[in-house]
Amino acid sequence: MRASTGNPAAPRKGRLDIWELLIRLVLIIASLACLLPFLHVVSKSLSSDSFVIANKVFLWPEGITIEAYKKIFADASILRSLYISVIVTVLFTILGMVLTICAAYPLSRTQFKGRRVITFIFLFTMYFSGGIIPDYMNINNLGLMDTIWSLVLPLSFSAFNLLIMKTSLTSSIPVSLEESARIDGAGHFRILLSIVLPLSKPIMATLALFYAVGRWNAYQDALFYIKHETDLRPLQLKLYYLVIQASESFQLEATQVSLSNPEVLKASVVVFATLPILCVYPFVQKYFVQGVMLGAVKE
C-alpha cells in the first residue's frame, strides 16, 4: 500500500489565493476610484450643454461635440499660456534635478565631513519655513516680480527629493565601485558623470516626474508673482481665471472663450491641462516603477 504523500502547503496555498483575491479587489476599487472621476470629466467636456445641464452625463458623453475644445484652442492667450507652462516646467525640472544631484552626491559619500549636519539643515526646512509673506517680500526685493524666474527659482529645490536621492545613491552605488574608479584616476566629476548618473536613471526619472508634475499643477505662486505681465501667466493660472469667470457674473480675464454652461468649460479645461502631463508619463513609466521601489526591499 502506497504511503500517502500529502502536500502540507496545499491548504495554505488556498488561503493565499483568498488574500491575493482580496488584494486585487482592493486595487481594482482604488483604480476605479481614480479613473471614474476623470472619465466623468472627459464625458462632460465632450457632451452638449443640454445634457450636462440635465445631469444626464455620467461615464459616457451624450450629444458628442468638441465645441468646448474648439473655443479653447481659438483663444490665442490660452495657447500662449500653454507655451509658458511648458517652458517653465522644463526649466524648473532641469534646474531642480541639477541642484538635487549636486547636493545629494556629496552628502551620500562617507568621506564628506559634516554631511550629517548639512543633511539635518536640509531636513529642518521640511518642517519649518518662513511662510508666504516672507517669500513674497523676498521675490519682490530681488526684483523677480512679473518675470519667468519667479516661477522657476523659488521652488526649484526640494529637500524631500534630496533625501530620496541621497538614500538611493547611498544604497545603490557600492563604495568599492567608487574606490576602483579612484584607483584608475577618476575624480569626483568623472565618477558622478560616468558611474553614478548612469546607474541612477530610475530614481532620476522618478524625481524628474515629481518636479515636472508639481510645477505643472502649481498656480498659486503665479497668482502672487505675475500681476501685470499677463503674457507670462502659465496655463493653470489662465484656466483658474477662466473657471472663476464662468462661475461668476463678473469679468476677470480677457478671453475669447464663452460657453453657455460653466460646467462644460470646467471639464474641458481640466482635460486640456491634464493631457500634456499624461502624455509624458508612458515614456518614464519603466524608470518610475523602478524608482519608487528603491529601498523597499532589504537584503
Side-chain angles (χ1 to χ4, degrees), residues 188-223:
H188 286 295
F189 287 102
R190 172 61 66 179
I191 294 174
L192 176 63
L193 296 176
S194 301
I195 298 178
V196 175
L197 295 186
L199 294 177
S200 304
K201 289 181 180 179
I203 190 62
M204 289 173 59
T206 302
L207 297 183
L209 186 63
F210 286 169
Y211 275 117
V213 172
R215 177 64 264 176
W216 183 266
N217 292 329
Y219 74 92
Q220 187 178 29
D221 53 350
L223 182 65

Side-chain angles (χ1 to χ4, degrees), residues 217-220 222-223 233-248 252-253 265-266 269-270 273:
N217 292 329
Y219 74 92
Q220 187 178 29
L223 182 65
R233 287 177 176 173
L235 179 63
Q236 288 68 28
L237 181 60
K238 180 72 175 180
L239 300 183
Y240 167 78
Y241 280 134
L242 291 179
V243 171
I244 295 298
Q245 171 190 317
S247 303
E248 304 293 340
L252 286 176
E253 183 79 358
L265 175 61
K266 291 180 183 179
V269 296
V270 167

Side-chain angles (χ1 to χ4, degrees), residues 27-63:
L27 291 177
I28 291 174
I29 294 175
S31 301
L32 292 177
C34 298
L35 180 62
L36 294 183
F38 184 72
L39 292 179
H40 176 66
V41 172
V42 173
S43 299
K44 289 174 62 176
S45 68
L46 295 174
S47 301
S48 61
D49 293 350
S50 59
F51 288 98
V52 175
I53 294 174
N55 291 326
K56 294 183 178 180
V57 180
F58 296 99
L59 299 179
W60 188 258
E62 301 290 345

Side-chain angles (χ1 to χ4, degrees), residues 74-151:
D75 190 349
S77 63
I78 293 183
L79 298 180
R80 183 171 58 250
S81 298
L82 175 62
Y83 171 76
I84 293 297
S85 288
V86 172
I87 295 299
V88 169
T89 301
V90 171
L91 292 176
F92 181 86
T93 304
I94 293 175
L95 181 60
M97 289 303 301
V98 170
L99 294 176
T100 302
I101 292 172
C102 291
Y105 173 70
L107 292 178
S108 65
R109 302 301 93 185
T110 56
Q111 65 268 27
F112 180 64
K113 296 182 179 180
R115 62 191 184 98
R116 295 183 181 274
V117 177
I118 298 177
T119 302
F120 173 77
I121 294 175
F122 284 124
L123 181 64
F124 184 84
T125 62
M126 295 177 58
Y127 299 97
F128 302 96
S129 63
I132 296 177
I133 295 178
D135 288 343
Y136 181 87
M137 296 175 61
N138 188 33
I139 295 297
N140 188 32
N141 293 333
L142 292 175
L144 297 178
M145 297 290 292
D146 286 314
T147 65
I148 196 173
W149 298 110
S150 64
L151 307 179

